[in-house]
Amino acid sequence: MPAGFLLLPDASDRSFARLQRKVRLLALRRLLSHPLDGLPAPLGAALANLRRILVPMARRRTGALLSTIALPDVIARLLVLERGLGAADALLAGAATDLIAALPPSALSEAILWEHPVPAIAAPTRGVAVSFTPAATAMLADPSGVSFALANGQKWALGAPPPPGVTVTAAYHRLHPQLARLHLATVDTNPLSMDEEHPDKSGNAIDLGGRPVADWTAALGEALALIAQTLPEWWQELSVSAERLIPVGYAPEMHLSASYQEAPGVAYLTLHPSVLTLAEAVIHEIQHSRLNTLMWLDPTLENGRSTWTRSPVRPDLRPLSGVLLAVHAFTPVAAMHQRMMAMNHPLAEGPHFQRRRREVWENNDRGLAVLLEQGRPTKVGQRLLKDMQRLHQETCEQSDQLTQ
């Protein structure tokens, strides 16, 4: 199958990594340059001290700093602030403290002292989330680790047994041994998680649906294994494009999922008994994340927000950019279906799979027709549409040959 831009990349394709780096730099710039005027004085002073340390770090240890900026708890808050969608003080304080807690000790040329209240931190690199009641009064990061000044005057080091008033929760659960950064998370710091556009949903509150975490990790592990088996090209980029899956309920009769442009690499999804359905959802939402990364830098369609039309996969009217997101998400899903047929995969047997395969392909076909008829793509958008067409046509031809 043709590789395609942000579709099925070959091993030498660094397109997404370059886009990703630019968006992380955009978030870092927001942290380093957001006006401190108007912020509470203690917060402004804490941020000024942090910037004094981060500026030289950005020059000397760029990779380590950008890798930490990429953590969802940091980058989502900074990109929400970049959009002007939330209160600057809360967003900057949350992003800063989670960044400090996650910086690798080797990146620190000097200790970072944060003298401002810390009600909670997310520490996904350690697998935990921590909350303080009342809030810690300060935190310190140095090569020996991270510690906090508690409201009662005591000090506590992250990783030590928690004293009263400190709650440590195992909140991040590995899903595959080859995907070190990807976790199922039962804590969410995305400021936009309850903002919802889909007519069948009302936000994305964390909900295990009455199922233990082990059920979620087992089911998602099977879905990831199916993707690795059928779309190795897509899979090899998953280690850098996916950060976190967040549970939002159990729905055996239907499947719902969501993602946000401001939260790269994060997907919200319901648990479903079908491995195939979960695999489709992971591909679908991570494809959204990849295209949303591009859209921070290039709109892809000049009329993506201004022209509205019927969506091939949604009951409501959508802007053309929404149709582009849908087709871009499901073109690799169609490729997975085709590969499953070619390898006589057990899950590809029976009329249900054939109906689903045909449904996805026909939706892609209708969506592409709308985009080609109504869209005004940028130069990058032209490349994207061309590669989507090529993959779509290849999927159609190979599937037709197999069913003749």
Side-chain angles (χ1 to χ4, degrees):
M1 288 186 178
F5 179 49
L6 302 187
L7 292 166
L8 302 182
D10 60 45
S12 63
D13 189 341
R14 300 290 297 163
S15 300
F16 181 73
R18 288 193 293 270
L19 297 173
Q20 198 174 49
R21 177 183 172 85
K22 291 180 180 180
V23 173
R24 292 172 182 177
L25 285 168
L26 179 68
L28 176 59
R29 183 181 69 182
R30 174 54 57 184
L31 177 61
L32 296 179
S33 64
H34 189 86
L36 301 183
D37 296 344
L39 296 177
L43 176 58
L47 284 167
N49 183 58
L50 177 61
R51 289 174 177 181
R52 179 183 61 80
I53 297 170
L54 291 185
V55 169
M57 185 186 297
R59 299 190 186 102
R60 294 195 302 264
R61 300 301 306 273
T62 310
L65 179 54
L66 290 184
S67 181
T68 309
I69 286 285
L71 293 172
D73 313 288
V74 180
I75 196 169
R77 288 168 164 138
L78 295 175
L79 292 179
V80 168
L81 185 59
E82 182 72 14
R83 292 277 192 217
L85 298 178
D89 53 352
L91 293 171
L92 286 167
T97 51
D98 284 349
L99 173 70
I100 294 168
L103 281 169
S106 60
L108 299 175
S109 58
E110 63 177 289
I112 300 177
L113 176 62
W114 176 265
E115 294 184 288
H116 192 264
V118 182
I121 62 159
T125 55
R126 297 172 179 260
V128 300
V130 183
S131 61
F132 301 93
T133 307
T137 59
M139 67 184 295
L140 175 72
D142 61 27
S144 68
V146 180
S147 58
F148 300 85
L150 304 182
N152 61 7
Q154 295 181 343
K155 289 183 171 56
W156 175 70
L158 182 61
V166 178
T167 302
V168 179
T169 305
Y172 306 96
H173 309 274
R174 287 280 295 273
L175 293 170
H176 195 281
Q178 295 178 8
L179 302 174
R181 290 181 71 105
L182 180 62
H183 294 80
L184 176 78
T186 52
V187 168
D188 185 24
T189 59
N190 177 8
L192 303 182
S193 62
M194 295 307 292
D195 291 0
E196 184 59 64
E197 293 184 356
H198 198 289
D200 296 328
K201 294 172 75 268
S202 57
N204 294 286
I206 288 179
D207 179 6
L208 289 169
R211 304 301 175 99
V213 166
D215 284 4
W216 282 83
T217 56
L220 289 168
E222 288 185 56
L224 290 167
L226 177 61
I227 296 170
Q229 181 185 17
T230 55
L231 292 181
E233 312 96 318
W234 194 89
W235 167 266
Q236 57 98 18
E237 197 172 74
L238 191 60
S239 62
V240 297
S241 59
E243 294 276 346
R244 190 170 295 176
L245 303 181
I246 297 178
V248 290
Y250 175 70
E253 301 301 325
M254 62 185 301
H255 189 271
L256 297 172
S257 61
S259 55
Y260 295 82
Q261 186 171 4
E262 296 79 9
V266 178
Y268 299 81
L269 72 170
T270 55
L271 186 62
H272 193 277
S274 167
V275 173
L276 177 60
T277 298
L278 287 177
E280 288 185 12
V282 171
I283 295 171
H284 167 191
E285 295 301 342
I286 299 305
Q287 280 295 101
H288 281 352
S289 187
R290 292 174 180 177
L291 184 52
N292 278 328
T293 298
L294 170 63
M295 287 180 171
W296 275 103
L297 308 167
D298 188 292
T300 67
L301 295 173
E302 294 176 356
N303 61 335
R305 299 288 184 183
S306 58
T307 300
W308 288 64
T309 185
R310 293 193 177 277
S311 168
V313 297
R314 290 260 297 256
D316 52 337
L317 289 175
R318 299 289 292 154
L320 273 186
S321 59
V323 178
L324 176 63
L325 281 162
V327 180
H328 183 258
F330 281 99
T331 307
V333 170
M336 179 179 69
H337 292 164
Q338 188 278 324
R339 292 274 179 82
M340 292 173 67
M341 292 174 58
M343 63 178 57
N344 294 316
H345 195 284
L347 293 178
E349 298 175 356
H352 174 76
F353 174 83
Q354 293 299 335
R355 284 194 300 270
R356 178 59 179 162
R357 182 193 68 82
R358 177 60 60 181
E359 175 188 33
V360 169
W361 189 90
E362 289 178 348
N363 285 343
N364 288 343
D365 199 54
R366 287 194 295 269
L368 270 172
V370 168
L371 292 168
L372 294 172
E373 178 184 349
Q374 301 184 37
R376 297 198 303 272
T378 64
K379 184 176 181 180
V380 172
Q382 290 173 3
R383 176 186 173 191
L384 185 68
L385 283 174
K386 180 180 178 182
D387 287 349
M388 286 164 57
Q389 284 181 277
R390 289 171 59 228
L391 181 57
H392 174 66
Q393 188 59 38
E394 185 79 7
T395 302
C396 170
E397 291 175 354
Q398 292 195 23
S399 295
D400 287 347
Q401 291 169 8
L402 289 167
T403 56
Q404 285 177 356

Short mmCIF file of all heavy atoms in Angstrom, two decimals, residues 10 89 174 180 186 257 273 328 360 383 391 396-397:
data_model
loop_
_atom_site.label_atom_id
_atom_site.label_comp_id
_atom_site.label_asym_id
_atom_site.label_seq_id
_atom_site.Cartn_x
_atom_site.Cartn_y
_atom_site.Cartn_z
N ASP A 10 6.47 5.22 5.95
CA ASP A 10 7.56 4.24 5.89
C ASP A 10 8.56 4.57 7.00
O ASP A 10 8.48 5.60 7.66
CB ASP A 10 8.22 4.21 4.51
CG ASP A 10 8.81 5.55 4.11
OD1 ASP A 10 9.48 6.18 4.96
OD2 ASP A 10 8.60 5.96 2.96
N ASP A 89 -3.66 31.95 35.10
CA ASP A 89 -2.98 31.61 36.35
C ASP A 89 -3.06 30.11 36.64
O ASP A 89 -2.04 29.47 36.94
CB ASP A 89 -3.50 32.44 37.52
CG ASP A 89 -5.01 32.37 37.69
OD1 ASP A 89 -5.69 31.80 36.81
OD2 ASP A 89 -5.51 32.89 38.71
N ARG A 174 0.58 0.84 32.02
CA ARG A 174 1.18 0.50 30.73
C ARG A 174 0.27 -0.43 29.94
O ARG A 174 -0.38 -1.31 30.49
CB ARG A 174 2.53 -0.18 30.93
CG ARG A 174 3.64 0.75 31.39
CD ARG A 174 4.23 1.54 30.26
NE ARG A 174 4.92 0.71 29.30
CZ ARG A 174 6.18 0.33 29.39
NH1 ARG A 174 6.91 0.68 30.43
NH2 ARG A 174 6.73 -0.43 28.45
N ALA A 180 6.44 2.73 25.53
CA ALA A 180 6.81 3.15 26.88
C ALA A 180 6.01 4.35 27.35
O ALA A 180 5.73 4.49 28.55
CB ALA A 180 8.31 3.48 26.92
N THR A 186 -6.19 7.04 34.75
CA THR A 186 -7.41 7.21 35.53
C THR A 186 -7.41 8.56 36.26
O THR A 186 -8.19 8.77 37.19
CB THR A 186 -7.58 6.07 36.54
OG1 THR A 186 -6.38 5.93 37.31
CG2 THR A 186 -7.86 4.76 35.81
N SER A 257 -15.84 7.83 21.30
CA SER A 257 -14.46 8.26 21.56
C SER A 257 -14.35 9.74 21.24
O SER A 257 -15.23 10.33 20.61
CB SER A 257 -13.47 7.45 20.73
OG SER A 257 -13.71 7.62 19.34
N PRO A 273 -16.72 -4.80 23.95
CA PRO A 273 -16.31 -6.21 23.91
C PRO A 273 -15.60 -6.63 22.63
O PRO A 273 -14.95 -7.68 22.60
CB PRO A 273 -17.63 -6.97 24.08
CG PRO A 273 -18.70 -6.00 23.70
CD PRO A 273 -18.19 -4.65 24.06
N HIS A 328 -9.55 11.16 7.09
CA HIS A 328 -8.16 10.89 7.43
C HIS A 328 -8.06 9.83 8.53
O HIS A 328 -7.13 9.02 8.54
CB HIS A 328 -7.49 12.19 7.90
CG HIS A 328 -6.04 12.04 8.21
ND1 HIS A 328 -5.56 11.95 9.49
CD2 HIS A 328 -4.96 11.95 7.39
CE1 HIS A 328 -4.24 11.82 9.46
NE2 HIS A 328 -3.86 11.83 8.20
N VAL A 360 -17.27 1.41 6.25
CA VAL A 360 -16.13 2.32 6.40
C VAL A 360 -15.66 2.80 5.04
O VAL A 360 -15.41 4.00 4.84
CB VAL A 360 -14.98 1.63 7.17
CG1 VAL A 360 -13.69 2.45 7.09
CG2 VAL A 360 -15.37 1.41 8.62
N ARG A 383 -1.22 17.77 -0.76
CA ARG A 383 -0.43 16.54 -0.58
C ARG A 383 -1.21 15.52 0.26
O ARG A 383 -1.25 14.33 -0.07
CB ARG A 383 0.89 16.87 0.09
CG ARG A 383 1.75 15.66 0.41
CD ARG A 383 2.97 16.05 1.21
NE ARG A 383 3.69 14.86 1.65
CZ ARG A 383 4.68 14.88 2.54
NH1 ARG A 383 5.08 16.03 3.06
NH2 ARG A 383 5.28 13.76 2.91
N LEU A 391 -4.37 5.91 -1.05
CA LEU A 391 -4.58 4.80 -0.12
C LEU A 391 -6.00 4.29 -0.21
O LEU A 391 -6.24 3.07 -0.18
CB LEU A 391 -4.25 5.25 1.31
CG LEU A 391 -4.41 4.18 2.40
CD1 LEU A 391 -3.55 2.96 2.09
CD2 LEU A 391 -4.04 4.76 3.76
N CYS A 396 -9.59 -0.11 -1.96
CA CYS A 396 -10.75 -0.54 -2.74
C CYS A 396 -10.36 -1.63 -3.72
O CYS A 396 -10.99 -2.70 -3.79
CB CYS A 396 -11.33 0.65 -3.49
SG CYS A 396 -12.60 0.21 -4.70
N GLU A 397 -9.29 -1.42 -4.49
CA GLU A 397 -8.90 -2.38 -5.51
C GLU A 397 -8.49 -3.72 -4.93
O GLU A 397 -8.90 -4.77 -5.42
CB GLU A 397 -7.75 -1.80 -6.35
CG GLU A 397 -8.18 -0.61 -7.22
CD GLU A 397 -7.02 0.03 -7.93
OE1 GLU A 397 -5.86 -0.38 -7.67
OE2 GLU A 397 -7.25 0.94 -8.76
#
